[in-house]
Amino acid sequence: MDGSTLPAVAEELLREIKKAFQETSQDTFSSRLKFIFGPSAVPALDLVDQRSVTRLKSPSGRTLYQVLGSSGKLYTCYSSCHFCTCPAFGFSVLQKSESLLCKHILAVYLSQAMGACQELAVSEEQLTNILLAEEEDEG
């Protein structure tokens, strides 16, 4: 997948999800998601239903998402570059190329399209600390 086309692909995906969600029954919507995204679809919908996705935004406009996973661990997701800090993303998406995305990234996209994303304003310092904490966890 070419990284330069990802934002356009993500935007199209969000438009289609929003349209499908508004125009179809919940069962049809779930079936379509399962067909496209496979085993990530149902767990991602569960995360959205549980309001587990939070969009953090700083005064400068920088944003990132945090998703409270089903295990209780908080994962940081970057929709702008299609990345999640969870082990499944690293293994299934990056190493094996078995999936397009993990359930956390899909939950971010779904929550945006469905208007179910929680919003949290943070300072530049708070956002920087979150990013530095992620770097320390990976190192």
Side-chain angles (χ1 to χ4, degrees), residues 38-101:
S40 297
V42 172
L45 283 170
D46 287 343
L47 291 171
V48 174
D49 285 344
Q50 295 165 13
R51 309 274 300 166
S52 298
V53 179
T54 303
R55 178 179 182 235
L56 299 140
K57 185 173 182 178
S58 71
S60 69
R62 294 189 312 168
T63 61
L64 61 85
Y65 294 84
Q66 289 191 318
V67 179
L68 184 60
S70 52
S71 66
K73 183 164 174 29
L74 199 59
Y75 296 105
T76 301
C77 299
Y78 308 89
S79 65
S80 60
C81 62
H82 189 70
F83 182 81
C84 179
T85 58
C86 76
F89 185 87
F91 184 73
S92 296
V93 178
L94 298 179
Q95 287 182 344
K96 303 280 257 174
S97 296
E98 293 176 341
S99 301
L100 291 173
L101 36 74

Side-chain angles (χ1 to χ4, degrees), residues 9-139:
V9 170
E11 286 298 317
E12 181 62 25
L13 173 65
L14 289 173
R15 280 193 294 276
E16 289 297 319
I17 289 171
K18 187 173 185 175
K19 185 178 176 186
F21 180 72
Q22 292 171 343
E23 294 177 357
T24 61
S25 72
Q26 195 66 28
D27 289 339
T28 305
F29 180 67
S30 293
S31 297
R32 289 180 182 176
L33 282 177
K34 283 186 243 179
F35 179 76
I36 296 168
F37 297 108
S40 297
V42 172
L45 283 170
D46 287 343
L47 291 171
V48 174
D49 285 344
Q50 295 165 13
R51 309 274 300 166
S52 298
V53 179
T54 303
R55 178 179 182 235
L56 299 140
K57 185 173 182 178
S58 71
S60 69
R62 294 189 312 168
T63 61
L64 61 85
Y65 294 84
Q66 289 191 318
V67 179
L68 184 60
S70 52
S71 66
K73 183 164 174 29
L74 199 59
Y75 296 105
T76 301
C77 299
Y78 308 89
S79 65
S80 60
C81 62
H82 189 70
F83 182 81
C84 179
T85 58
C86 76
F89 185 87
F91 184 73
S92 296
V93 178
L94 298 179
Q95 287 182 344
K96 303 280 257 174
S97 296
E98 293 176 341
S99 301
L100 291 173
L101 36 74
C102 66
K103 67 182 179 182
H104 308 109
I105 287 282
L106 181 54
V108 166
Y109 290 148
L110 291 172
S111 68
Q112 288 173 330
M114 297 162 71
C117 190
Q118 300 194 70
E119 302 281 335
L120 181 63
V122 295
S123 69
E124 298 296 336
E125 184 178 1
Q126 288 171 312
L127 194 65
T128 300
N129 288 339
I130 291 167
L131 294 172
L132 289 175
E134 289 300 332
E135 227 174 71
E136 288 173 8
D137 287 348
E138 291 171 11

